[in-house]
Structures are given as C-alpha cells and as structure tokens.
Amino acid sequence: MRFIDEYRASDLSAYLAEQIARISVTPVRIMEVCGSHTVSIFRNGIRALLPDTITLLSGPGCPVCVTAQGEIDAMIGLSEIDDVIIVTFGDMLRVPGTSCSLMQVRSEGRDVRVVYSCEDALSIADANPDRRVVFLGIGFETTAPLIASTILSAKQAGLKNFSVFSAHKRVPEVLAALMAYKDLAIDGLILPGHVSMVIGKRAYWPLYAEYPRPYVIAGFEPVDILNAILLIVGQIEAKAPRLKNAYPRAVSIAGNKRAQEMMASVFQPSDANWRGLGRLAGSGLKIRRHLEAFDAEKIFQMHVSEQCELEGCDCGKVLLGLKTPPECPLYKKVCTPSYPVGPCMVSSEGTCGAYYRYAEK
Amino acid sequence: MCLAIPSKVVRIEDGCGIVDVDGVRRKVNIQLLSDVSVGDYIIVHAGYGLHKIDARTANEALALLRAASSLLNGPHP
C-alpha cells in the first residue's frame, strides 16, 4: 500500500539501525508516548535492532490504560441505568472496573454496543427514541475532534436522547508532567504521530521551552521509528536537543486547524485524573456549558470518584515506565489477556498486552 | 487507539469520501479536511479523514533517507 510499504523496507531499516549503533555512545532512556508506537516497536522487533546503550520505555499513550479507575467505574455505573444504551469503541469493553467490566454487564442483559465510528452512535439514538444513548468519550486529541463533530451533528439533528461522557485527555500536558517526574529521567521522547497530525508541531513548543530535550514526532512504520531514534540519539550525542518532525507526510507545524476549531468549540480544558499520574491541571477536556444538553455528566448527575488506580495492580507504574510488565507480581500469573486485572493487559495497545503477545517469544 | 491509515479517495458522494484500502471500500467523513479530490490519499481515523497527505513532501522526505542510505551502502537496484 502506498505511504505504508515504503516505510517497511528492510534495507532502509537496516541502514538506520547501523547508523544508530555507529553513533550511540551515551546510555539513553527514550520513551515512546503512543500505544500504536509501543505495538509497532514490539511487532517489528525494533528493540533487537538497537545497541545496549538504548533503553526504550513505553509511556502513558494508550487512552484506555490512562483512564482513571473512577471514570471507568462511572461508565459501568451508567450502563446500569434502565433506559440507557452505552455506545463505545471496542477497546473499553473488557476494561475491569472495581467490581465488573462493561462486557460483564452486557452479558447480564445491559445494552452496551460497540461502534467503529462515533457517528454510528447517532443512528442508534435516532432508531431508539425512547432510550437514552450515551457515548463513552475516551481518547486523545486524535479522537476528540471526531466526538466534538458528532456532538454538533446531534445538536443540528435535534437529537434529545444522545449524550457523551467526556473523559478525553490531552497529550502536551501529560508530557510536561512526565518530564517533571524526577525518578523517570527521560532523555528524549518519540512524540505521537496522529495526535500531532491534529495539534501540529507547534503544540509542543511550550514543552520544549520548559524542558529542552530531543523530541521527535514519528510515524508508525519501522523506518519511521528507527529514523526517530536515530535523530534523538544524534541530538543527544551532539548535545543539541531539538523538537523535530520526522513524520512530515502526516504532520504540519500548525496541524489540522478545522479539527482544532471543532474541538475548541465543543470542549474546554479541565483538570483530569490519570492512572499512574493522578490529577493533572488542564489535562482533560469537558463539554462546554452551552452544550450541556449533550453532557452525560450533567444529565445523569454523575458522581465520578477521584480514584485513579485499581488496588494491587501496577498498571500505573507500567504506564510511567517505572516498571516493566514482568516486574508486576500479577503479570502472566493472575493477569493475562483472557483474564485481565488492569487496563494495560486489556487494550491491544497496552504495554502489558503487547509484552504478553510479542516479548519473550 | 490513535491508529490511522493512509487511504485513497476513489469517489466523493454527498460530501462524504469513499476510500479504498487494499480493496475494501468505506465511507469517510471528510468535513475536517479542506479541498479533498479523487485520487488523494487521506489519513483516516475512526471514520473521519484527518489529514490529506502531501505526496510531494512525503516523496522528498523518503528520497532524502534513500539518498543517505545509498551513500553508505551503494545505490539501490
């Protein structure tokens, strides 16, 4: 396929890996902050191509995984209201709440439906006028504009039985929290390609100004990721940190302005709870007041607890790169993809799930 | 979850794009893009086009990488 196959070329990957090995002297810790990067790194065996000087850490880049426990419990609580139909992306279905998952409540007869696009929720609302349809809004800036657009379409169509529970998170804000986290000692970041496609390279300028390190926006194929690592290592060796866009086929300086405007017209920044990081100022998105007729939190007067972690589960530490999955006492013993305890094992992009499927094989 | 795929626009119908990914056709909401034409490659996430690939920029960046690698390893066939 065009714009994919060229970036899987093994000769280019081999060249980039050779270059990395040639220039890398200083031991470095590089974090990728996107679940799709995590999966691609495992699937393509990228760790095996890198010299011992480079440690890759997986960060809080899987939206399902960073969703706080209180938010997940609140979503499951919504599904137990009699006239409610929950509509969600598939990733959320098996995420364990404190007592059960959406999959379990569905097996008990509650109405939980999975869609590919959030727009599909509107047809469900239209077809069920006597029920209330709630879409679970999780995701970063890649997904938030789509959900914003759906809310505006619902308004335009005059739908009275559609709302969104917005648990969206913002990437630049969490990156600043990560760089401030002393125990982590991150030398450089591989920045998420598709979040950057929406917010643009310029969204990271404040981060770079406050913590000048090598930051490289990367695509998702092996050539993209190795090229990003080469750029980061080169900057570290030259002691010249830069913010660079190594995914120019998808990312511009300004990003997608229409998507940004759509997001800004529907959502306003709010404080948000993150698994692993706790409450971070301005790191979430809530529905603006003039659209509160579509805000599930207002309609159902939801009480969302402040709880961020699930007791006994180390997902929070895994999300920060403070622990690798095998260092969690539950990993592979109690917690497996068939019987997940924490969200990092459930999601296809979770670090534990990726480890289980691809590592140690 | 932010997975997004480059997809070729094969038709535009009632303001929606029809894309082809390896033979599979799908309707895509293109209201977040300006100026999409048949033949363009757009990056699609959860049913929405979020970016139109600038083929020239993409080809130039790839050519640069290719040139660097052939300096070291000799020209490619």
Side-chain angles (χ1 to χ4, degrees):
Chain A
M1 281 192 290
R2 249 195 110 193
F3 301 111
I4 294 184
D5 292 341
E6 307 93 300
Y7 302 90
R8 291 181 179 168
S10 56
D11 61 327
L12 259 191
S13 297
Y15 157 75
L16 292 165
E18 268 170 44
Q19 290 300 301
I20 294 168
R22 193 176 64 81
I23 66 166
S24 176
V25 181
T26 321
V28 291
R29 289 157 59 82
I30 300 172
M31 181 177 267
E32 87 272 358
V33 202
C34 173
S36 304
H37 279 147
T38 304
V39 170
S40 181
I41 286 168
F42 275 112
R43 189 185 284 154
N44 293 299
I46 284 178
R47 279 187 172 80
L49 297 174
L50 300 176
D52 294 341
T53 40
I54 298 173
T55 305
L56 290 185
L57 303 168
S58 302
C62 149
V64 173
C65 306
V66 298
T67 303
Q69 198 57 41
E71 291 172 328
I72 289 170
D73 288 338
M75 293 172 189
I76 293 168
L78 277 177
S79 73
E80 287 164 347
I81 300 172
D82 268 341
D83 65 336
V84 164
I85 301 175
I86 295 285
V87 181
T88 175
F89 293 130
D91 318 43
M92 277 309 293
L93 211 56
R94 295 174 61 239
V95 175
T98 303
S99 58
C100 60
S101 68
L102 285 171
M103 180 89 113
Q104 282 162 314
V105 297
R106 185 164 81 169
S107 70
E108 286 158 12
R110 298 293 174 184
D111 202 341
V112 180
R113 306 186 192 185
V114 172
V115 289
Y116 163 70
S117 171
C118 39
E119 275 191 319
D120 300 340
L122 298 182
S123 6
I124 296 175
D126 198 38
N128 294 277
D130 52 341
R131 310 275 302 277
R132 292 186 287 179
V133 169
V134 184
F135 185 80
L136 303 181
I138 60 156
F140 299 126
E141 292 92 334
T142 323
T143 314
L146 284 46
I147 294 172
S149 150
T150 306
I151 290 175
L152 293 181
S153 300
K155 188 181 177 201
Q156 205 173 10
L159 277 178
K160 303 271 185 241
N161 62 334
F162 172 79
S163 63
V164 170
F165 172 50
S166 176
H168 296 101
K169 306 273 190 283
R170 303 170 76 206
V171 166
E173 284 66 23
V174 74
L175 297 183
L178 280 177
M179 297 318 281
Y181 207 100
K182 291 216 168 43
D183 292 349
L184 264 178
I186 300 167
D187 299 301
L189 292 177
I190 301 174
L191 296 176
H194 293 142
V195 165
S196 307
M197 181 166 73
V198 171
I199 65 177
K201 179 184 171 186
R202 66 176 179 189
Y204 303 103
W205 284 340
L207 173 76
Y208 178 76
E210 195 173 355
Y211 304 98
R213 307 273 159 75
Y215 301 115
V216 178
I217 299 168
F220 298 89
E221 302 304 331
V223 166
D224 292 319
I225 293 172
L226 286 164
N227 188 32
I229 294 171
L230 177 61
L231 290 167
I232 291 174
V233 171
Q235 292 175 21
I236 290 171
E237 295 301 342
K239 297 191 173 50
R242 292 275 181 277
L243 167 58
K244 275 209 73 122
N245 176 13
Y247 193 26
R249 65 186 185 278
V251 178
S252 62
I253 291 175
N256 183 330
K257 284 191 179 165
R258 276 198 194 182
Q260 292 165 19
E261 283 161 15
M262 184 71 83
M263 200 160 36
S265 67
V266 171
F267 298 115
Q268 62 188 23
S270 66
D271 298 351
N273 291 328
W274 293 64
R275 192 182 298 272
L277 283 158
R279 197 161 184 81
L280 300 179
S283 68
L285 291 171
K286 290 291 173 204
I287 295 171
R288 289 190 182 276
R289 188 172 285 177
H290 72 277
L291 291 165
E292 68 183 11
F294 302 94
D295 186 346
E297 267 192 271
K298 298 268 163 56
I299 294 170
F300 296 94
Q301 299 178 329
M302 289 170 68
H303 168 73
V304 183
S305 99
E306 295 286 311
Q307 188 189 349
C308 290
E309 321 280 332
L310 195 63
E311 219 171 300
C313 164
D314 272 344
C315 276
K317 293 199 173 74
V318 170
L319 283 169
L320 293 184
L322 292 170
K323 274 194 177 181
T324 61
E327 288 169 337
C328 169
L330 307 183
Y331 176 75
K332 258 183 151 177
K333 298 185 181 77
V334 193
C335 184
T336 65
S338 309
Y339 296 97
V341 176
C344 297
M345 183 61 90
V346 179
S347 169
S348 56
E349 293 188 343
T351 309
C352 298
Y355 246 84
Y356 192 96
R357 271 175 292 144
Y358 299 111
E360 308 162 25
K361 294 253 161 78
Chain B
M1 207 186 118
C2 299
L3 196 68
I5 314 277
S7 314
K8 189 177 182 179
V9 179
V10 292
R11 228 172 41 238
I12 292 174
E13 229 174 60
D14 308 327
C16 281
I18 309 293
V19 298
D20 179 304
V21 182
D22 262 4
V24 178
R25 294 199 170 193
R26 237 205 108 91
K27 203 167 158 183
V28 170
N29 184 320
I30 50 172
Q31 62 166 327
L32 297 176
L33 297 172
S34 52
D35 184 28
V36 178
S37 324
V38 170
D40 286 341
Y41 279 79
I42 60 174
I43 298 186
V44 177
H45 169 62
Y48 280 73
L50 274 176
H51 181 78
K52 184 171 107 175
I53 295 181
D54 175 355
R56 214 177 84 186
T57 311
N59 293 337
E60 278 172 9
L62 189 66
L64 269 179
L65 261 185
R66 278 269 164 226
S69 83
S70 55
L71 276 182
L72 195 84
N73 298 331
H76 290 278

